[in-house]
Amino acid sequence: LIKDVKPLFESIGLQFEGRPFAMGGTNCAFEVSGCVKEVFGTDVDFLYWDYSLIVGQCLACVEHWFQRASLIPARPAFGIDGRSKYSPITEETRKRGYAVFHFDKRVRSALEKSLPLSSNKTLDDLNQMPPNVRGYQCAQSDKQICKDRKWSTYLDPKEPCNKRSHQQSWHPGWQWHALQGHLLTQFLIEVLDDALSAIGAYASDPETLLETLRRQEQQFFSNFFPKNYSTKWPFPMLPTGESIDAIYKRPNYCSIARLPAQIRYAGILTGYSGNYIDSSYDRGTNQTDQSVFSAHEEVQLMWTESNYQTHCKKDLLEIDHTDWFLGATKNSSPKMILPTDSEIAAYGNHVESLVGYIFICRAPGPDLDKKHQLGIEGEGDSLENGDYNITVNKKLVTGYTYIFGCALLKHQGGYIFPKRENGRVEFKF
């Protein structure tokens, strides 16, 4: 998609930036939805929702993602695959003035069936086929060529890049993603053509058109979150009586270690920017560096080398990594003050309007069961009985409520933590 669309946009003076920021095996809530602006950026114009494999029937997850994503300052349009079970949420989003595009899977299915078969062809015939089509469709009687090319374009069985993590028998392979990229490319070309036609109709007065569109967008946005809005698909595990307003539509800050995330690449989290192509961003400290476990005064950004597929030198196999923050160890009781100055500069100064809810999230991994997903001892109301503890603005955390990979912290007085004089939050681990 990026390769095809970028030159088209540049031909009319527009800079196109694609951010392939998918996270494998990840729900859209509660971490991604709560950190949506930190993951995708505040300047994103179009977001494509594709979390149905993990989300399943959780309409609350989908709704929370759309509500939080709708607060991104650039006011993006949305795309979503055409699953009818999510249509009530997307229709509600559209009613309030946001552009939501459904991609009909029946069209995609028909297109796939029309692709030529690669079975029972000579090597010369196969070489004449486009690379993205070659080995995509096979007859039941001869599937070997499709199996050989499912995970890689390299046919040499000794090629290191063919040994890739996360391969699943049910997944259609890399060519499925290539086709998806081409379909989205066609969609963006169509939208671009429509925009140029609309501008052409106002060729004599483009400023009036721009002002009209801005006024309409502002009116749509004002209507999107009426004061009496309440969620239609609430999280069943959200404690009774807690503020829906704060969790769904009030400003928030999110310091997220996971990748891919714009807060990392733009240098907002640590002050050092870079990109995912050459790993020039601040990667933090490798977990193999034992010195950081002996003593550290500040919470440390960490990465686990075994999660990175470094054996392949020809391709960048993945950019989604569950990087993490190191809190307390046997020798250290570090602190963390949030939001940082750079986060306030990037996302605005909203510290005075914060309610005081604190979520700590950690993506599930193969070495973590649900009880220890946060890397902290204790569950429910017994958190303070473990070997480690957390204080928030000098209030001892006594427990938490688990909501889709995140812990809503609480103290003896409830879930809302008091503010410091400057409105920020100090964690002590």
Side-chain angles (χ1 to χ4, degrees), residues 360 376 388-392 395-397 409 427-429:
I360 293 182
I376 52 180
Y388 298 87
N389 61 56
I390 305 171
T391 60
V392 178
K395 279 277 188 181
L396 180 66
V397 176
L409 303 185
F427 296 88
K428 187 78 173 180
F429 297 90

Side-chain angles (χ1 to χ4, degrees), residues 124 173 203 269 291:
D124 287 340
L269 186 68
S291 64

Side-chain angles (χ1 to χ4, degrees), residues 48-54 56 79-86 101-114 136-137 170-172 176-177 179-180 183-184:
Y48 187 76
W49 187 96
D50 189 11
Y51 298 87
S52 56
L53 178 67
I54 304 299
I80 184 172
D81 66 40
R83 292 180 182 267
S84 59
K85 61 186 175 185
Y86 305 132
F101 297 90
H102 278 268
F103 290 80
D104 193 334
K105 289 202 167 185
R106 293 172 298 179
V107 175
R108 179 195 172 93
S109 178
L111 180 59
E112 285 181 307
K113 291 178 181 178
S114 71
Y136 189 30
Q137 293 279 67
W170 50 261
H171 196 280
W176 183 95
H177 288 286
L179 178 57
Q180 188 76 354
L183 291 175
L184 288 172

Side-chain angles (χ1 to χ4, degrees), residues 257-279:
R258 289 190 69 178
L259 290 171
Q262 194 65 6
I263 191 174
R264 295 279 306 273
Y265 301 138
I268 299 168
L269 186 68
T270 65
Y272 297 94
S273 60
N275 64 73
Y276 60 87
I277 299 297
D278 59 6
S279 299

